[in-house]
Amino acid sequence: MNYFAHGLRFLDRPWVLAGTAVPDWLSVADRGVRMRERQVAPFAAGAGADAELAAGILAHLEDDRWFHQTAAFYETCGDLTRLFRDALGAADGHRPGFLGHVATELLMDALLIAREPARLDRYYAALDRVDPAGIEQAVNRMARRPTGRLSMFVEIFRRERFLADYLEPPRLLFRLNQVLRRIKLNPLPESFVVALMDAREIVSARLDGLLPAERFGTALEGNLR
């Protein structure tokens, strides 16, 4: 799961919403800092902003623990991996498998945003209500190792609003190439846009199974295509 799918249930709780993004923010801003349930859980038992942020972090960790073990995730990743291997060639190594995982999650966000675009505005409006420095300070109280890079990335995340780019295949390709460069893999060619369009159809057909309403509530119900 990615930012929007994690946070969609918490648009009316800005600090919880921010917490759902913290593990992914750190994966970009400071990969050496990890949020561990054992360290975070005691903060969720308290009150105030720290407790709300901790609740969001725990929700993210639990979402990922559940999601990455589901048949829908494995099947969709497998379909996308095969699609991408056909597009890139069998000699492309492990990159199609990595892309199958990442594209599944980004396209889930794209489909959720497309269903009701106003909720993306609410998402960013809620994040605008939290203090990036306060997020970083709270994370440093919870993590084994402190970070000095998180607050700046939160500000960039709010300013760039790049989740909207997932809706357009060329912009999604641009964002995927940013990810690949960050982990020192070769960028994808422009022709890969066609594969992303096909991948979106695959994820769309499985979205109800990927994000079942009985787990994620009414925020994710309905026709998501």
Side-chain angles (χ1 to χ4, degrees):
M1 292 174 64
N2 195 57
Y3 293 108
F4 198 65
H6 276 301
L8 194 51
R9 292 162 288 167
F10 306 110
L11 298 180
D12 59 345
R13 298 175 67 185
W15 281 91
V16 178
L17 177 64
T20 67
V22 162
D24 287 338
W25 283 338
L26 287 171
S27 72
V28 180
D30 199 337
R31 293 179 63 85
V33 181
R34 299 292 182 88
M35 305 311 297
R36 305 293 186 188
E37 185 174 350
R38 188 188 314 177
Q39 279 74 46
V40 175
F43 290 87
D50 278 16
E52 292 280 282
L53 192 77
I57 294 169
L58 293 175
H60 176 116
L61 297 177
E62 174 55 27
D63 282 348
D64 277 359
R65 184 163 42 243
W66 170 83
F67 181 69
H68 291 143
Q69 296 179 17
T70 63
F73 173 72
Y74 278 108
E75 291 167 3
T76 306
C77 281
D79 285 350
L80 265 58
T81 296
R82 288 186 286 274
L83 172 68
F84 295 160
R85 185 168 288 121
D86 288 345
L88 296 169
D92 203 75
H94 297 293
R95 191 167 60 155
F98 172 76
L99 289 168
H101 182 140
V102 173
T104 294
E105 299 188 350
L106 301 192
L107 287 167
M108 286 165 57
D109 270 10
L111 291 161
L112 291 169
I113 293 166
R115 180 195 180 195
E116 201 171 332
R119 292 195 295 187
L120 183 62
D121 293 331
R122 289 179 59 200
Y123 179 93
Y124 282 112
L127 287 180
D128 284 341
R129 293 169 58 191
V130 300
D131 174 27
I135 294 171
E136 182 175 294
Q137 291 161 11
V139 165
N140 285 341
R141 287 189 284 271
M142 300 176 198
R144 291 179 179 175
R145 176 188 143 180
T147 180
R149 304 174 186 172
L150 181 57
S151 63
M152 181 179 297
F153 183 74
V154 175
E155 292 174 357
I156 293 170
F157 181 89
R158 297 193 307 189
R159 182 176 69 245
E160 293 293 319
R161 295 174 65 103
F162 62 74
L163 297 185
D165 289 348
Y166 300 163
L167 294 165
E168 300 295 333
R171 296 300 299 168
L172 176 59
L173 176 62
F174 173 78
R175 294 301 178 183
L176 278 173
N177 278 333
Q178 284 187 318
V179 173
L180 293 174
R181 290 188 185 96
R182 191 165 64 241
I183 60 175
K184 296 180 171 51
L185 290 177
N186 291 330
L188 298 161
E190 291 184 9
S191 60
F192 195 73
V193 164
V194 176
L196 289 176
M197 294 170 66
D198 292 339
R200 178 171 173 139
E201 292 302 313
I202 293 171
V203 176
S204 177
R206 286 217 177 96
L207 195 55
D208 288 329
L210 290 163
L211 296 171
E214 60 268 22
R215 180 178 177 89
F216 293 99
T218 57
L220 303 179
E221 286 181 350
N223 177 12
L224 301 178
R225 299 191 183 187

